[in-house]
Amino acid sequence: MVPEFESLGVSSSIVKAMDAMGWTIPTPIQKISIPEGIRGTDMFAQAQTGTGKTGAFGSIILSRSESGKKIPSSIILAPTRELATQVADEMNKLSLYSNHKCVAIYGGASIEGQIAKLAKGADIIAGTPGRVKDMILRGNLNLSEISILVLDEADRMLDMGFIEDIEFILSATPRERQTLLFSATLSENVKRLATDYMNKPKEMTVSEDELVLDLTKQFYISVGRKNKVWALCRILDIDKPKALIFCQTIRMVDILDERLKGLGYKAEAIHGDMSQSRREKVIKDFRNDNIDILIATDVAARGLDIDDISYVINYDIPEDVDTYIHRIGRTGRAGKEGTAVSFVTSDEEYLIREIFAYTGMEILPRDVPETDGKDTVRKVIDYDQISDVFGMVKFEINLGKNDGLGKVSLADFVIREARIRDASIGKIELNADSSVLQIHKEFANRMMMDLPRCKFKGKKINVRLAQ
């Protein structure tokens, strides 16, 4: 048995199941929330995926409700299909000796099959707001006997626009119920939801170290868009991580997935345009180490509960801090160290400062790992990354005053031979044997590729970046 959980008030049958699952000691969020929850207190608690929140509200539900119900007495709302199924699986494992039955209902799967499961009876529902609302409207889901309602990852449900569905579901449950709200961030919208629909809720917060885990080392790499794949492949080749890679858009996920597979990496993608069965298979393959790299959008990876992810890589860094926190929470879990690496372009480095200001935890600069062998992907010159705010790039050319050139004649030579527009040449610094010219990045390739093919009065032209 697990005495630490017994001391929190968890019923013996649930503690016995925890012991069978290999649980040892409660997590911080479990320690502070379970006793209050078992007493029947409404609460909103700050907890991200991987901190044991399912064990927290699961212990409360299973310790406070009877099994063998025909009509459910508890319901857990989650933002995504993946999280709903994971919560249901965990609840059923915790119910090994109490015989509670949890049914998952979510969109993207056969509604008839889910209706059939409900008809056989369920003590607990774990579902997404849209499908739960649909089931209520169809008359297939009766929430009149709900005594405990859980809003899991409430901040993300609000971000995804589920507020109207949530309010509809809340109105279908009894007023005299216990409401538990779990959220990775306690934004004003989340607190407003708690104020409007909960009865004198207690706020449960853990230390800042729980918000961004101490076991996760955070880095950023300054790299232009054109060299992100090069930097990524260096990390994959040298560090050989089990990596979760985040991209901002479905299109970028598909592009990166195709590129990495083409290079021979064991990678797969998940996003909202894929079928539920396909997404479940990919996640299963990642969990079972059949693939090493999972590329995902934020929505698709929401609630992903895998403890041995060694790297989270922000291929595209998110623009808001909450999303960053949610992402890096996928590594550094279950007592294992993890690494979070964010790729940032020169005009995105301010986001690193914003994240530091919010979390108080430093994100260290890191170079792309060095390799002694041949690169999987060749590094290219990224003029977007090295240009100034006006898009100008400095080039040094081996022509100057000693070649009988002035600024105007040098500019004319470059315009003519490299086919560069007059307006795309900026400041010129004319020296004795060389000169530095500012050229707009749009014509940078012509400076590097076309001009060295030319000669000036029989002299071979050399061009290099001045930076």
Side-chain angles (χ1 to χ4, degrees):
M1 300 292 282
V2 189
E4 290 87 346
F5 282 98
E6 280 189 304
S7 68
L8 298 178
V10 180
S11 65
S12 58
S13 62
I14 311 307
V15 174
K16 188 177 177 183
M18 291 174 172
D19 191 36
M21 294 165 68
W23 292 17
T24 53
I25 58 173
T27 65
I29 193 63
Q30 290 169 351
K31 287 180 181 178
I32 64 174
S33 65
I34 289 175
E36 285 291 342
I38 289 176
R39 282 194 285 270
T41 305
D42 281 13
M43 69 178 73
F44 58 102
Q46 185 180 38
Q48 62 189 45
T49 301
T51 55
K53 60 185 174 58
T54 306
F57 62 69
S59 297
I60 295 167
I61 290 173
L62 298 174
S63 297
R64 298 198 71 231
S65 62
E66 297 179 0
S67 61
K69 295 283 187 178
K70 189 70 177 176
I71 298 175
S73 59
S74 302
I75 184 167
I76 304 158
L77 296 180
T80 66
R81 297 172 281 192
E82 285 76 20
L83 187 55
T85 56
Q86 287 175 20
V87 167
D89 289 345
E90 190 88 343
M91 293 296 292
N92 285 321
K93 289 177 184 177
L94 288 169
S95 303
L96 179 63
Y97 301 104
S98 67
N99 298 316
H100 288 80
K101 184 180 178 183
C102 182
V103 172
I105 58 175
Y106 49 84
S110 168
I111 194 168
E112 290 77 14
Q114 293 174 2
I115 290 171
K117 289 181 180 179
L118 285 178
K120 295 178 181 178
D123 304 296
I124 307 158
I125 301 297
T128 53
R131 178 55 63 91
V132 169
K133 180 181 178 181
D134 192 16
M135 290 278 204
I136 295 170
L137 292 172
R138 286 169 176 258
N140 298 117
L141 181 58
N142 182 353
L143 300 185
S144 63
E145 295 187 14
I146 293 294
S147 60
I148 304 175
L149 182 144
V150 177
L151 298 172
D152 191 11
E153 307 219 2
D155 53 348
R156 184 56 65 182
M157 286 196 284
L158 295 180
D159 290 344
M160 294 169 68
F162 284 133
I163 183 61
E164 291 184 2
D165 291 345
I166 291 171
E167 289 176 337
F168 176 87
I169 295 164
L170 288 166
S171 69
T173 64
R175 276 185 168 274
E176 297 301 316
R177 64 169 189 273
Q178 181 183 15
T179 305
L180 310 174
L181 184 155
F182 287 79
S183 179
T185 56
L186 297 181
S187 65
E188 289 306 312
N189 286 337
V190 170
K191 291 181 179 180
R192 191 177 303 116
L193 185 66
T195 301
D196 292 345
Y197 293 99
M198 301 173 79
N199 179 31
K200 297 179 180 177
K202 284 197 172 183
E203 181 177 343
M204 301 288 177
T205 57
V206 290
S207 69
E208 197 73 20
D209 291 345
E210 275 297 303
L211 181 63
V212 182
L213 299 178
D214 263 349
L215 290 174
T216 300
K217 298 175 182 177
Q218 300 175 64
F219 302 97
Y220 74 92
I221 294 176
S222 185
V223 61
R225 298 186 188 281
K226 294 179 182 178
N227 282 312
K228 282 187 178 183
V229 173
W230 163 75
L232 176 62
C233 289
R234 278 276 187 94
I235 291 172
L236 298 179
D237 291 343
I238 295 169
D239 297 343
K240 302 188 184 306
K242 181 169 184 176
L244 174 58
I245 303 172
F246 283 101
C247 300
Q248 291 290 76
T249 65
I250 290 173
R251 175 170 169 74
M252 193 63 239
V253 167
D254 285 337
I255 290 172
L256 188 58
D257 177 42
E258 182 178 350
R259 186 78 189 276
L260 291 182
K261 283 178 178 173
L263 293 168
Y265 295 100
K266 293 165 63 178
E268 290 290 348
I270 56 167
H271 54 65
D273 284 357
M274 299 169 62
S275 68
Q276 177 65 13
S277 59
R278 175 62 181 161
R279 289 164 68 176
E280 288 176 354
K281 183 184 184 305
V282 169
I283 291 172
K284 183 179 179 181
D285 285 344
F286 188 54
R287 180 177 282 112
N288 294 336
D289 296 327
N290 295 325
I291 57 174
D292 304 317
I293 303 157
L294 183 62
I295 311 159
T297 56
D298 291 303
V299 171
R302 189 64 177 170
L304 190 67
D305 194 9
I306 299 172
D307 287 337
D308 60 344
I309 296 172
S310 57
Y311 265 65
V312 166
I313 299 173
N314 289 313
Y315 191 83
D316 300 316
I317 188 169
E319 293 186 357
D320 65 283
V321 177
D322 290 349
T323 300
Y324 176 84
I325 292 170
H326 287 305
R327 287 183 180 184
I328 71 167
R330 299 295 178 272
T331 188
R333 294 163 57 164
K336 300 175 183 177
E337 289 190 352
T339 301
V341 177
S342 299
F343 293 162
V344 294
T345 61
S346 56
D347 56 354
E348 291 173 334
E349 291 189 9
Y350 76 95
L351 294 170
I352 298 297
R353 295 190 293 272
E354 287 187 357
I355 294 167
F356 170 71
Y358 184 90
T359 65
M361 298 187 74
E362 193 171 14
I363 308 175
L364 299 173
R366 173 179 167 178
D367 293 328
V368 176
E370 292 293 336
T371 178
D372 295 330
K374 184 179 179 182
D375 272 328
T376 302
V377 174
R378 187 170 59 88
K379 184 180 181 182
V380 299
I381 300 173
D382 191 335
Y383 298 111
D384 288 331
Q385 182 74 358
I386 62 176
S387 61
D388 64 18
V389 293
F390 302 106
M392 304 301 284
V393 181
K394 287 184 178 180
F395 293 92
E396 185 175 348
I397 186 171
N398 62 332
L399 294 175
K401 295 176 184 177
N402 290 344
D403 298 290
L405 289 168
K407 291 183 180 180
V408 174
S409 54
L410 177 58
D412 288 341
F413 173 76
V414 170
I415 290 168
R416 181 176 66 253
E417 300 297 337
R419 296 172 293 120
I420 294 175
R421 285 201 301 262
D422 186 4
S424 295
I425 296 183
K427 185 178 178 182
I428 297 176
E429 180 186 327
L430 193 68
N431 301 310
D433 296 312
S434 65
S435 301
V436 176
L437 301 87
Q438 288 185 336
I439 306 293
H440 194 272
K441 62 185 180 182
E442 181 183 353
F443 296 97
N445 264 331
R446 294 185 184 179
M447 281 292 292
M448 293 295 288
M449 303 298 292
D450 294 354
L451 210 56
R453 297 173 184 165
C454 305
K455 290 184 178 181
F456 181 79
K457 296 180 180 179
K459 182 178 182 179
K460 183 176 173 59
I461 305 301
N462 295 321
V463 179
R464 68 178 183 87
L465 288 170
Q467 284 91 336

